[in-house]
């Protein structure tokens, strides 16, 4: 899973996280609601595979070994089909929503360090920064025209400490020159590996020393909006 720049303590506020089986059950309900045929198909495929192994066992006379071998294989195939369907449903539900790109970035597997909302404006366009083996990746969400300036400003700021490290940038969306939510993770993973582990750690250290770039938008805060992490301690000081 991708790492956030400031890890919070699990179970903060006394909230107990649901168990693994309960989580799977919750996901299954969502998948069934969005795609009713998915789970029956996955179960049917698993049963068919298991039946084939039973048939081979009966035919060869090894009616214990083959079914015992086929059971985990059938379960694994069915579970893979279910997880892929769940991922497609997730992408479908996130597509077009503000923060969809951030949700994908925070759930990436591997040694990625994600810094959400390093730049934003009062129109709610936002730029996230990701650091990994490719270097620095800036991911923008919002209006492509307005994001151009936000990304350029953040790229210039990052370049002061990144030196020769590559800086990539992408805009999340379904328009020309944008990356759909469903392809965002795949796009980042396919980037070339330009840094080793020590180089990535050193780059993260230099980036953390940068002052916060976000400026408080003029006018009233949107209802329910939260201050960026780098500015919460400065709210009273003006």
């Amino acid at each position: 899973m991708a790492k956030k720049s400031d890890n919070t303590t699990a179970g903060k506020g006394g909230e107990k996280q649901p168990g693994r089986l309960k989580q799977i059950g919750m996901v299954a309900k969502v998948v069934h609601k969005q795609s009713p045929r998915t789970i029956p198909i996955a179960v049917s495929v698993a049963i068919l595979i298991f039946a084939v192994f039973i048939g081979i066992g009966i035919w060869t006379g090894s009616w214990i070994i083959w079914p015992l071998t086929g059971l985990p294989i059938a379960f694994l195939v069915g579970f893979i089909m279910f997880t892929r369907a769940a991922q497609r449903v997730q992408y479908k539900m996130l597509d077009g929503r503000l923060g969809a790109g951030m949700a994908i970035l925070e759930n990436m597997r591997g040694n990625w360090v994600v810094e959400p909302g390093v730049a934003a404006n009062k129109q709610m366009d936002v730029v996230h920064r990701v650091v990994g083996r490719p270097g620095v990746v800036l991911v923008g969400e919002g209006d492509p025209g307005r994001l151009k300036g936000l990304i350029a400003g953040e790229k210039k700021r990052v370049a002061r400490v990144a030196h020769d490290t590559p800086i990539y940038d992408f805009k999340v969306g379904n328009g020309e020159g944008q990356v759909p939510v469903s392809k965002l993770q795949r796009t980042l993973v396919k980037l070339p590996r330009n840094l080793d582990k020590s180089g990535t750690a050193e780059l993260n250290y230099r980036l953390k020393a940068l002052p916060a770039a976000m400026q408080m938008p003029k006018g009233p805060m949107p209802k329910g909006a939260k201050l960026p992490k780098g500015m919460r301690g400065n709210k009273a000081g003006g």
Side-chain angles (χ1 to χ4, degrees):
M1 302 288 285
K3 300 176 183 177
K4 288 186 182 181
S5 60
D6 57 334
N7 295 325
T8 55
T9 304
K12 187 178 180 180
E15 295 181 2
K16 187 178 180 180
Q17 297 296 324
R20 180 61 61 87
L21 290 178
K22 189 173 182 179
Q23 289 180 1
I24 294 175
M26 293 166 63
V27 173
K29 288 181 180 179
V30 175
V31 172
H32 181 68
K33 184 177 180 180
Q34 298 292 327
S35 181
R37 297 178 59 187
T38 295
I39 295 178
I41 290 175
V43 172
S44 299
V45 170
I47 293 174
L48 178 61
I49 293 174
F50 186 51
V52 169
F53 275 85
I54 292 176
I56 295 174
I58 295 173
W59 182 56
T60 59
S62 302
W63 57 273
I64 295 179
I65 295 177
W66 280 99
L68 287 178
T69 303
L71 183 60
I73 294 176
F75 175 80
L76 181 62
V77 172
F79 189 72
I80 289 174
M81 292 181 65
F82 168 74
T83 53
R84 288 185 176 178
Q87 191 175 55
R88 289 194 298 269
V89 169
Q90 179 193 32
Y91 291 149
K92 183 179 178 181
M93 294 176 67
L94 288 173
D95 194 20
R97 293 190 177 188
L98 182 65
M102 189 63 239
I104 298 300
L105 295 175
E106 288 187 322
N107 284 282
M108 287 183 61
R109 295 185 176 183
N111 190 26
W112 300 89
V113 178
V114 180
E115 180 69 35
V118 293
N121 57 28
K122 62 182 180 181
Q123 289 86 12
M124 303 301 287
D125 305 306
V126 63
V127 177
H128 314 297
R129 187 177 68 220
V130 185
V131 178
R133 298 290 289 274
V136 181
V137 184
L138 302 177
V139 179
E141 296 188 77
D143 180 83
R146 294 192 297 262
L147 282 174
K148 186 176 180 180
L150 278 177
I151 292 176
E154 180 62 19
K155 185 178 288 188
K156 183 177 180 181
R157 194 173 75 96
V158 169
R160 295 204 299 264
V161 297
H163 305 309
D164 296 330
T165 303
I167 304 174
Y168 304 90
D169 64 270
F170 302 99
K171 301 182 185 73
V172 177
N174 298 311
E176 185 178 354
Q178 295 178 303
V179 179
V181 169
S182 60
K183 296 182 179 180
L184 180 59
Q185 186 175 132
R186 194 185 321 162
T187 300
L188 268 63
V189 170
K190 286 184 177 181
L191 291 174
R193 295 191 171 192
N194 301 305
L195 302 175
D196 55 18
K197 290 184 178 180
S198 61
T200 304
E202 182 183 349
L203 177 60
N204 272 312
Y205 179 79
R206 295 200 303 266
L207 287 171
K208 286 180 180 179
L210 282 174
M214 290 182 64
Q215 299 296 324
M216 189 68 170
K218 296 180 180 179
M221 285 285 290
K223 186 177 181 181
K226 295 181 179 180
L227 286 173
K229 288 175 293 182
M231 298 173 63
R232 289 175 188 167
N234 301 327
K235 182 179 179 182

